[in-house]
Amino acid sequence: MTLAFAAIDPSAIPLHLLDEEAAHHWIDTQNDATRAWATAQGFTGALGQVLTCPGPDGIACAAIGYGTPATRARGRFHLAAGAARLPAGTYTLHHNLDTATAEVEALGWLLASYRFDRYKAQPPMRAQLTAPDGIDAQRVTDIANGEALTRTLINTPASDMGPPDLETAARDLADRFGAAITVTSGDALLDANFPLIHTVGRAADRAPRLIDLRWGDTGPTVTLVGKGVCFDTGGLNLKPGASMGLMKKDMGGAAATLGLAQMIMATDMPVQLRLLIPAVENSVSGNAFRPGDILTSRKGLTVEINNTDAEGRLVLADALALADEDTPDLIISMATLTGAARVAVGPDLAPYYADDAGLVAALEQAADTQADPVWRMPFHTPYETMIEPGIADLDNAPKGGFAGSITAALFLRRFVSQSRYMHFDIYGWQPGDAPARAKGGVGQGTRALLAALPQMLAK
């Protein structure tokens, strides 16, 4: 679906976004009837309160409470929280927010209108918003639709979102923006020296593949690498049923990078973009790879397989090695990689790894202004010994259960030796409804990256 602001409408209902201090002043300046109505309804501007004031032809005006800095700090997208409770109609926003905050709140409204309706009709949000004055409405819309792409890809079950379908999504994106795309699939992966991608995906009846999209011919170079495990059974180390239920989202890294790529291209960012997605299913059959196997990667590093359910880092390894051969200015990988990251920071934060202080500073600032929270994790070099099994260069699943997200990130870092590198270990799923974030697939870290990339790539 396409997310958009409503067309300008002279009869749109005035909607006031009022914190607790402003609410008292606003009520005092209203006519007697509106003042009496607001007082009778107990409207104080508390966070999330919604007030609709009757007029001779319906709703004369409306207000949403914006609380206090302390209450707002406990969440985000507060305008969207109120918008979901407004009656049907087109609204025009009156506020005193700075531009960045106004854009975040307007974005939240658009995201609240997202519906995943491929398999069942869903009622649309009743309230519509015209683009608030002073914001870059086109940019906000472009970001919202990049996020919508990510959500839809994650929400689609593996029956309709296998490696060929992920390829189709990438080709559709390339066609829309005039990008070049090549795909290497099946046994051709061996000929092209992508042995780990082939090994992980060969047991499935839908062939593994590496998707390679390029866009832009001027500016600094950035390569996105997204984990595209379209379903993860765990392989021969079969997951229990309870753990397999959400594995349609194991291509969340690919979905996030596709959404970010769409944002970059739609906003015409002056970069040379490359997007690499190793798309596979980790399945069980007679030719599935086994615990104890030792595999040789594209980079030449050997990997002992101690758990076939630690397959994401394997397919990413070959893609990262390819990315690094081009020595771009920046490589960013995104993956639903480890449960350890979820235990560490929960579902709402996007954990990331970076050694470069400039990258960290740019991302942290952008994450704050874009309401897209991230949390830095350590590339803790002393743990390198934990991923060195002795009979091979690397171990894909160190025993002991400690530092699972860190050791996975260290494993990936071994395949990037010439470029600046960041890795995101995201969840990609909203476990329950929240303002602007319905239960289901969700983007994490992508809006922060979009805002931070110009500074990250500045020479």
Side-chain angles (χ1 to χ4, degrees):
M1 65 180 304
T2 301
L3 307 183
F5 292 109
I8 298 298
D9 183 354
S11 63
I13 302 164
L15 174 62
H16 301 271
L17 186 62
L18 303 167
D19 63 24
E20 292 186 15
E21 182 178 349
H24 296 294
H25 174 73
W26 179 80
I27 291 172
D28 288 342
T29 61
Q30 300 307 299
N31 59 41
D32 291 344
T34 300
R35 185 166 57 252
W37 179 260
T39 302
Q41 297 299 309
F43 183 76
T44 63
L47 191 65
Q49 276 191 314
V50 174
L51 173 72
T52 54
C53 300
D57 299 314
I59 302 172
C61 65
I64 292 177
Y66 205 51
T68 65
T71 58
R72 291 194 297 275
R74 296 172 65 92
R76 49 190 165 132
F77 298 125
H78 304 297
L79 176 63
R85 297 165 52 200
L86 286 171
T90 299
Y91 295 82
T92 183
L93 188 64
H94 298 261
H95 65 88
N96 60 357
L97 305 175
D98 62 78
T99 301
T101 305
E103 289 187 346
V104 166
E105 296 294 358
L107 172 68
W109 186 299
L110 293 184
L111 294 178
S113 68
Y114 171 82
R115 300 290 186 272
F116 181 63
D117 56 6
R118 176 167 179 171
Y119 302 99
K120 180 181 178 181
Q122 304 291 340
M125 192 164 79
R126 297 177 298 171
Q128 293 186 299
L129 183 71
T130 63
D133 290 341
I135 73 166
D136 186 339
Q138 185 59 58
R139 180 179 175 84
V140 172
T141 302
D142 290 338
I143 292 171
N145 283 294
E147 167 71 16
L149 173 62
T150 295
R151 294 183 182 191
T152 296
L153 292 172
I154 296 173
N155 285 332
T156 303
S159 53
D160 291 317
M161 191 49 64
D165 306 289
L166 201 53
E167 176 185 335
T168 296
R171 288 190 181 278
D172 289 346
L173 191 64
D175 288 345
R176 284 178 55 200
F177 293 99
I181 187 168
T182 58
V183 178
T184 307
S185 63
D187 290 343
L189 289 165
L190 295 176
D191 297 332
N193 192 24
F194 299 112
L196 298 186
I197 298 173
H198 181 273
T199 297
V200 171
R202 72 190 181 199
D205 60 359
R206 295 183 284 189
R209 62 206 66 207
L210 178 67
I211 300 163
D212 188 347
L213 179 151
R214 292 177 182 264
W215 174 87
D217 53 14
T218 59
T221 51
V222 58
T223 298
L224 308 178
V225 182
K227 174 187 168 185
V229 178
C230 295
F231 196 84
D232 181 17
T233 66
L236 292 177
N237 291 111
L238 196 68
K239 292 178 182 288
S243 299
M244 213 182 296
L246 266 184
M247 283 300 99
K248 70 175 184 178
K249 79 168 186 67
D250 211 24
M251 39 66 71
T257 52
L258 279 162
L260 176 55
Q262 177 171 313
M263 295 177 199
I264 289 171
M265 293 186 288
T267 58
D268 202 24
M269 185 179 290
V271 298
Q272 298 179 70
L273 171 67
R274 189 180 194 186
L275 171 61
L276 296 171
I277 296 175
V280 302
E281 292 177 85
N282 188 20
S283 298
V284 178
S285 74
N287 67 340
F289 71 118
R290 299 161 292 260
D293 286 353
I294 295 180
L295 310 176
T296 302
S297 68
R298 178 183 182 86
K299 193 177 179 70
L301 296 172
T302 55
V303 183
E304 182 182 10
I305 304 303
N306 280 309
N307 192 324
T308 63
D309 195 20
E311 84 299 329
R313 66 201 69 184
L314 300 177
V315 299
L316 287 171
D318 274 355
L320 286 170
L322 173 65
D324 197 42
E325 290 165 16
D326 260 5
T327 60
D329 295 307
L330 177 62
I331 297 173
I332 302 169
S333 61
M334 303 192 84
T336 52
L337 204 61
T338 71
R342 308 290 73 73
V343 173
V345 301
D348 200 40
L349 288 165
Y352 75 96
Y353 294 81
D355 285 327
D356 187 295
L359 298 179
V360 171
L363 181 69
E364 296 283 347
Q365 181 181 16
D368 184 56
T369 60
Q370 301 302 310
D372 191 12
V374 299
W375 196 264
R376 187 184 184 188
M377 301 282 280
F379 272 132
H380 189 55
T381 300
Y383 288 168
E384 289 278 0
T385 56
M386 296 171 65
I387 60 171
E388 296 170 345
I391 62 170
D393 295 314
L394 294 170
D395 182 342
N396 84 316
K399 294 179 175 62
F402 290 126
S405 180
I406 298 173
T407 53
L410 290 172
F411 181 100
L412 296 180
R413 191 175 66 169
R414 290 288 187 98
F415 295 87
V416 180
S417 57
Q418 303 182 86
S419 309
R420 293 187 301 164
Y421 176 51
M422 301 184 78
H423 165 61
F424 286 75
D425 190 347
I426 61 174
Y427 188 45
W429 190 260
Q430 178 64 34
D433 289 337
R437 304 181 311 285
K439 180 180 179 179
V442 70
Q444 292 184 293
T446 51
R447 292 184 290 106
L449 280 168
L450 183 74
L453 276 173
Q455 183 177 344
M456 289 178 171
L457 297 171
K459 298 294 187 180

